[in-house]
Amino acid sequence: MAHLLSTSFSVKISSSNRPCGQPLNQVRAVLPNSFTIKTSKSHFKRLVSKGDRARKSCVVLATAVPVSKEVSANPRSGSDGSPSDSSKPQRVMVIGGDGYCGWATALHLSNKGYEVAIVDSLVRRLMDHQLGLDSLTPISSIHNRLRCWKAITGKTIELYIGDVCDFEFLSDTFNSFEPDAVVHFGEQRSAPYSMIDRSRAVFTQKNNVIGTLNVLFAIKEFREQCHLVKLGTMGEYGTPNIDIEEGYITITHNGRTDTLPYPKQASSFYHLSKVHDSNNIAFTCKAWGIRATDLNQGVVYGVKTDETSMHEQLCNRLDYDGVFGTALNRFCVQAAVGHPLTVYGKGGQTRGYLDIRDTVQCVELAIANPANPGEFRVFNQFTEQFSVNELAALVTKAGKKLGLDVQTISVPNPRVEAEEHYYNAKHTKLIELGLKPHLLSNSLLDSLLNFAIEFKDRVDTKQIMPSVSWKKIGVKPQTMPAN
């Protein structure tokens, strides 16, 4: 597959800013073909240092330029940033496109005929190395993934490696790709990770809030008509004792009525960062006329989409550990290796769930039906509600059909949350736009369990039990980076 890309790249590194003083010939030796190098003063590199004593280090970020791409003298858009030719495919920038939801979404959109670019710092892979974790599935490098996609489909996905918290990098990326829509998955997405220690709580909020602010300013400055599709979370709402509406609630108080943003009750530093994002996006829609859709997503399960199933190098990641693993994925892996299903506390915690195939479908629907200028839409993105106990019962039943002896244990809940509560969240807007849900069924559970069994030799059982406590969060790092 390597023959699809010609050997051509330029290095833009002077002797004063090449990585860590590395000789230029060594820089050339480790960089892939067809890439232009850009350095960034990214804050995420601080995570590789011990505690707060940041070691002197440099991060080399590659901005990929497909060799077939020529600089056109004619701009693709008008002065207002709107597409100049509606017959041309929409250009969609997927920030965080190397991650679990982002990778599946980038392939899906490319397969549907959109021109796609992935923007990613690859910090999620670094986090695995730091914490000694690994995906259940073997994951190819982002470069090999994209070469494989090109070989199979003939479609090119552009790649920009860098940190959106670096506004210079993001500005260059916007001006290079000129997106009609931005899908923003590029955030630290784990509640437990944000609760490990002070440094990771700070990283989560800086990465998520500042990154989103930079995206908003980039849209304002360079692509005013660009539609922002931002991944939020149902966790912003918490578990109120009333129905959860889609973003807004109409309230009558002292004889007066108004429609207001639905109250937020975040339950971790991660969820708080999402609340801050939502407030910032809502404000810029009002102040600047930005068009934005906030997708408050439930818990995602599954690993296969039509596109990721095309080749083993396109396989998506599947997390099963106590930091990044989501409930149903974790339960299926636990059942596959004979580990008791770990129900936190009483197990009555109820949330919205959806198949990853529906995640990519929802994003496509949001792009195809954009918000109006100045509109901040909120969609609750899930298809079904389950309690943790209900999920455990479903996995137990499906496992027994496959001959697995599935047991369940209750473990002390590491989180601070209600373990028995009312939960009824509305989720009609995406259905009205045409979402056709893949509901959790016995056949789907069989497929997910068989997938976990296939890769069970890769499971590190020491990573299954929860190791991060909300009440015992420390001021010093409790984990050290891998040497």
Side-chain angles (χ1 to χ4, degrees):
M1 288 183 271
H3 68 279
L4 293 170
L5 294 175
S6 63
T7 305
S8 173
F9 68 93
S10 61
V11 178
K12 297 181 180 178
I13 300 180
S14 68
S15 59
S16 62
N17 67 4
R18 70 184 60 147
C20 304
Q22 190 175 1
L24 189 57
N25 62 342
Q26 293 184 26
V27 175
R28 288 194 182 100
V30 298
L31 294 173
N33 296 336
S34 307
F35 289 89
T36 302
I37 305 310
K38 178 178 178 62
T39 58
S40 169
K41 298 177 181 179
S42 165
H43 67 264
F44 78 75
K45 65 176 178 280
R46 296 175 188 170
L47 286 178
V48 303
S49 65
K50 294 184 179 181
D52 291 332
R53 295 174 299 173
R55 296 176 300 203
K56 292 183 179 180
S57 62
C58 302
V59 179
V60 180
L61 305 177
T63 302
V65 182
V67 295
S68 61
K69 182 179 178 181
E70 298 179 357
V71 178
S72 172
N74 299 317
R76 281 190 296 266
S77 60
S79 59
D80 64 349
S82 60
S84 59
D85 186 351
S86 59
S87 65
K88 290 184 178 180
Q90 280 200 71
R91 299 176 64 79
V92 182
M93 177 187 292
V94 181
I95 301 174
D98 188 46
Y100 174 53
C101 292
W103 175 242
T105 298
L107 294 191
H108 178 79
L109 294 175
S110 178
N111 203 33
K112 291 290 186 178
Y114 292 86
E115 293 187 26
V116 177
I118 285 176
V119 179
D120 204 300
S121 68
L122 308 184
V123 69
R124 176 66 185 85
R125 295 175 183 250
L126 174 62
M127 291 174 179
D128 273 354
H129 290 304
Q130 287 180 314
L131 300 178
L133 309 176
D134 201 359
S135 165
L136 176 72
T137 51
I139 302 300
S140 296
S141 73
I142 185 62
H143 308 95
N144 287 337
R145 281 175 153 187
L146 296 182
R147 292 188 186 105
C148 181
W149 180 247
K150 172 73 173 179
I152 291 173
T153 67
K155 299 177 184 293
T156 297
I157 295 178
E158 297 184 37
L159 175 63
Y160 298 85
I161 298 179
D163 186 359
V164 297
C165 290
D166 176 355
F167 191 70
E168 181 183 358
F169 161 77
L170 186 62
S171 300
D172 290 346
T173 301
F174 259 73
N175 285 319
S176 173
F177 184 69
E178 297 183 351
D180 301 311
V182 172
V183 180
H184 187 9
F185 289 111
E187 300 197 319
Q188 194 295 100
R189 57 93 170 166
S190 165
Y193 186 90
S194 75
M195 302 299 292
I196 291 176
D197 52 46
R198 185 202 59 80
S199 66
R200 288 174 175 87
V202 170
F203 167 77
T204 298
Q205 298 224 349
K206 289 179 68 175
N207 180 80
N208 295 3
V209 178
I210 294 175
T212 297
L213 274 173
N214 278 350
V215 171
L216 291 167
F217 272 91
I219 292 174
K220 168 63 174 172
E221 185 169 347
F222 306 116
R223 300 289 292 175
E224 287 191 345
Q225 292 302 310
C226 181
H227 178 209
L228 173 62
V229 179
K230 168 67 167 58
L231 190 74
T233 171
M234 290 297 295
E236 291 186 35
Y237 298 120
T239 54
N241 198 38
I242 59 173
D243 291 353
I244 297 174
E245 305 297 330
E246 295 201 63
Y248 299 90
I249 185 170
T250 300
I251 298 174
T252 299
H253 179 64
N254 290 342
R256 301 185 67 85
T257 300
D258 201 355
T259 298
L260 303 169
Y262 195 96
K264 305 296 177 68
Q265 300 182 75
S267 59
S268 72
F269 290 118
Y270 155 73
H271 290 104
L272 282 164
S273 74
K274 293 288 195 175
V275 172
H276 301 328
D277 287 339
S278 295
N279 289 332
N280 286 336
I281 297 170
F283 171 73
T284 55
C285 286
K286 181 187 299 184
W288 300 341
I290 284 177
R291 59 177 80 208
T293 301
D294 203 7
L295 299 175
N296 282 339
Q297 182 168 257
V299 183
V300 185
Y301 59 82
V303 65
K304 290 185 177 182
T305 63
D306 290 344
E307 292 78 21
T308 63
S309 300
M310 289 181 179
H311 191 279
E312 61 183 9
Q313 285 201 7
L314 302 178
C315 186
N316 207 349
R317 69 178 303 121
L318 185 70
D319 299 304
Y320 62 88
D321 57 88
V323 176
F324 291 103
T326 56
L328 185 57
N329 286 348
R330 288 192 299 109
F331 282 175
C332 288
V333 172
Q334 290 168 9
V337 299
H339 191 287
L341 309 188
T342 52
V343 171
Y344 293 174
K346 297 178 181 179
Q349 303 93 320
T350 302
R351 303 288 187 270
Y353 289 80
L354 78 162
D355 191 304
I356 193 167
R357 292 173 293 179
D358 292 339
T359 289
V360 302
Q361 192 185 165
C362 291
V363 173
E364 183 190 1
L365 285 169
I367 294 170
N369 302 275
N372 295 318
E375 181 184 11
F376 178 56
R377 299 187 306 188
V378 181
F379 297 160
N380 290 346
Q381 184 173 299
F382 69 96
T383 57
E384 297 177 276
Q385 294 181 178
F386 298 102
S387 71
V388 174
N389 286 330
E390 288 170 336
L391 287 182
L394 289 170
V395 173
T396 298
K397 180 180 177 181
K400 287 181 178 179
K401 285 173 53 182
L402 298 177
L404 301 175
D405 181 19
V406 183
Q407 304 295 323
T408 299
I409 59 172
S410 175
V411 301
N413 192 348
R415 305 186 179 210
V416 176
E417 62 183 357
E419 297 177 1
E420 294 176 319
H421 56 85
Y422 177 81
Y423 197 83
N424 183 37
K426 307 293 179 60
H427 56 111
T428 61
K429 294 181 181 179
L430 284 162
I431 298 293
E432 292 168 357
L433 287 179
L435 173 64
K436 300 187 185 315
H438 296 84
L439 301 180
L440 188 61
S441 63
N442 290 334
S443 60
L444 179 60
L445 275 174
D446 288 348
S447 173
L448 189 52
L449 280 167
N450 279 315
F451 193 84
I453 292 170
E454 178 184 354
F455 291 99
K456 69 177 184 179
D457 290 343
R458 290 177 52 85
V459 175
D460 178 2
T461 56
K462 295 190 297 295
Q463 304 296 339
I464 289 177
M465 297 298 290
S467 59
V468 180
S469 170
W470 265 230
K471 291 184 177 181
K472 297 179 181 178
I473 183 170
V475 295
K476 295 181 180 179
Q478 297 174 4
T479 57
M480 291 299 170
N483 293 324

